[in-house]
Amino acid sequence: MGLFEEFLGDLFFLGMLGKLGAEVVPIVSAQNEDEATLLIAGSDSGDAKYISWMPLKEKTLKRGDRLFTNGQPFSRLSNRSSEKSAISDLTVVRNRIAHDSPVARSKFVDLSKSKGYPHTRAADYLMSKRGNDSEILLGLVRLQSIGEGLAEPTEIGARAYLAAEDAYEPSVLAPPGNYQCGRGGHPQSTTVYTTLGNCPECPRPVRCTECGRADKLKTLWVRL
């Protein structure tokens, strides 16, 4: 997991230097690694003493949104809950190995119990089998696929490596592509990053005659 975090850092620096392809555009480009370090550190809120990359959502994804146009390439993980969950689980195991703290132990025990694995040692967890393969092997393969998806020059190309996306809510920034409403199949296409809004063919919410409340319209867009 430590090597994966180093990879995320390297990817960030390459992106800030404009070396990850035409789709990865830094909002403020850096001329060298020293400038990149200052820009990355300066984008973080709080008083952190060093740049860290985990937790993924709070660190890497938020930092990507602040420093890159459309958050690319890190926003490729934003709407993929299975990828984020896999990274979160591996981070919990890593923290249990690195920090013998009550918080690290508690999170590790909860994770292990949820999967029915031994929860006294991280080594036992990693050697536990899921199907024919151990958790450590499955985790390494998953991190490699995620890494290849993030390093892929194009967002479309990254889909070959990354897990399926979650459906897009109306207010969530969606990448260019073809979509259809998950309720009625209404098609919609976009050539730019944008929010997709509510489906024009879905029935409008009905307001209750007694309390006056109306259910929220629950459009979910599925990318084809």
Side-chain angles (χ1 to χ4, degrees), residues 77-86 164-166:
L77 301 181
S78 296
N79 209 43
R80 287 182 163 92
S81 57
S82 66
E83 304 286 38
K84 291 187 290 186
S85 178
E165 297 165 287
D166 304 334

Side-chain angles (χ1 to χ4, degrees), residues 85 89 92-93 106-119 125 130 135:
S85 178
D89 289 351
V92 168
V93 179
S106 176
K107 290 184 177 181
F108 173 73
V109 168
D110 289 344
L111 172 63
S112 298
K113 286 183 176 180
S114 71
K115 295 189 175 184
Y117 292 158
H119 53 267
Y125 174 98
R130 181 158 30 118
E135 279 293 331

Side-chain angles (χ1 to χ4, degrees), residues 177-190 196-202 219-224:
N178 299 315
Y179 297 82
Q180 69 177 20
C181 173
R183 299 177 69 192
H186 176 76
Q188 183 170 179
S189 298
T190 176
L196 299 173
N198 291 319
C199 173
E201 293 186 2
C202 283
T219 298
L220 290 174
W221 296 99
V222 179
R223 185 151 63 138
L224 303 177

Side-chain angles (χ1 to χ4, degrees), residues 2 19 51 64 136:
K19 296 181 179 181
I51 298 172
I136 189 171

